[in-house]
Amino acid sequence: MPQQGESGGLHARVLAELGPAIASGGYPPGTVLRIDELEVRYGVSRTVVREAVRVLEAMHLVETRRRVGVTVRRTEEWNVFDPAVIRWRLAGADRPRQLRSLTMLRTAVEPVAAGLAALAATPGQCRELTVLASDMVAAGRAADLGEYLVHDVAFHRVMLRASGNEMFARLGDVVAEVLTGRTEHHVMFTAPDPEAVTLHVRVAEAVRARDAAGAENLMREICVGALRELDILAP
């Protein structure tokens, strides 16, 4: 019988295979997945399969029906804000549409969050944004996409938290997955866009200056630029 750590590793392996298969449409809505068949397919115990299924149920990807089995739910019912679901969908063939949908969400939310941040950010958050923008400049000049991504994700997380709106703050994971997905799946240019880098610096300056209108407009330019980038790289 596997130990707790082994069980956790096995359950993670099942999730890493089954989750993307569902999210990418490999198992269309209405598909019934039988526990005993999943045991055989993944070579794990019933307990491990049930642990993985419970996670998928929490994401609303599947539901367990008595005397039927584990049924894949309609896409409209999925928790599309779950970071794992976003990651799995971005790994599939529907990536361009997903990126566009998520970037449009950013365009609707992040400019408003930036405007609010200019009014509500603490001095510490203003310093964080300034430092992160400076780090983005350095990574951009070095054409280091990996390092740039780290600072870019952190910048947007701080911005959303600094808005003072807990709903916006919770979207930090969503934005992180979008930015990470663009980089990992090469849906961005080989080096950070200098204009986008400069805009991040200007957003940080606007927040520090308590210029709400300026911060909102500049962040909108960043998001609209990301949409334009998708038109070129993921039409």
Side-chain angles (χ1 to χ4, degrees):
M1 183 175 180
Q3 300 299 313
Q4 185 173 0
E6 295 172 327
S7 175
L10 291 171
H11 132 264
R13 177 172 66 79
V14 173
L15 265 182
E17 294 184 34
L18 185 55
I22 294 172
S24 66
Y27 296 108
T31 300
V32 175
L33 305 170
R34 296 180 58 83
I35 296 292
D36 53 350
E37 292 176 355
L38 293 174
E39 286 180 63
V40 174
R41 181 177 308 157
Y42 295 108
V44 296
S45 69
R46 180 172 294 258
T47 299
V48 170
V49 171
R50 288 195 183 282
E51 287 176 0
V53 167
R54 275 196 290 270
V55 175
L56 295 172
E57 284 181 315
M59 297 174 178
H60 294 184
L61 292 184
V62 303
E63 62 181 339
T64 301
R65 294 178 179 175
R66 194 174 178 184
R67 292 192 294 273
V68 175
V70 180
T71 306
V72 178
R73 301 178 70 158
R74 292 181 302 129
T75 309
E76 294 83 359
E77 298 173 332
W78 294 357
N79 180 5
V80 293
F81 290 106
D82 188 291
V85 175
I86 293 172
R87 193 178 317 125
W88 294 339
R89 296 181 89 184
L90 289 179
D94 199 29
R95 183 183 307 129
R97 190 176 71 84
Q98 291 303 314
L99 280 172
R100 182 167 298 281
S101 176
L102 289 161
T103 304
M104 289 177 71
L105 172 66
R106 289 184 60 199
T107 304
V109 171
E110 287 205 85
V112 176
L116 290 173
L119 302 175
T122 66
Q125 288 169 330
C126 290
R127 283 193 297 273
E128 279 188 87
L129 290 171
T130 299
V131 170
L132 288 168
S134 177
D135 290 340
M136 290 174 70
V137 170
R141 286 174 177 163
D144 187 335
L145 286 179
E147 192 68 15
Y148 183 84
L149 173 64
V150 171
H151 303 310
D152 195 14
V153 167
F155 183 96
H156 289 274
R157 283 191 186 278
V158 173
M159 178 65 67
L160 290 164
R161 286 200 308 272
S163 72
N165 183 303
E166 71 278 11
M167 297 294 184
F168 288 173
R170 287 297 299 274
L171 290 175
D173 289 343
V174 173
V175 173
E177 290 297 337
V178 179
L179 296 173
T180 301
R182 285 194 324 166
T183 302
E184 290 185 347
H185 298 293
H186 310 292
V187 191
M188 64 180 300
F189 298 117
T190 53
D193 178 12
E195 182 180 350
V197 177
T198 300
L199 284 171
H200 281 79
V201 173
R202 293 178 63 196
V203 167
E205 291 172 346
V207 171
R208 191 170 64 248
R210 304 303 180 187
D211 178 2
E216 180 171 344
N217 290 333
L218 289 163
M219 183 59 75
R220 184 168 289 107
E221 284 191 56
I222 290 173
C223 295
V224 170
L227 279 171
R228 284 198 301 265
E229 200 169 272
L230 289 178
D231 287 337
I232 298 170
L233 300 175

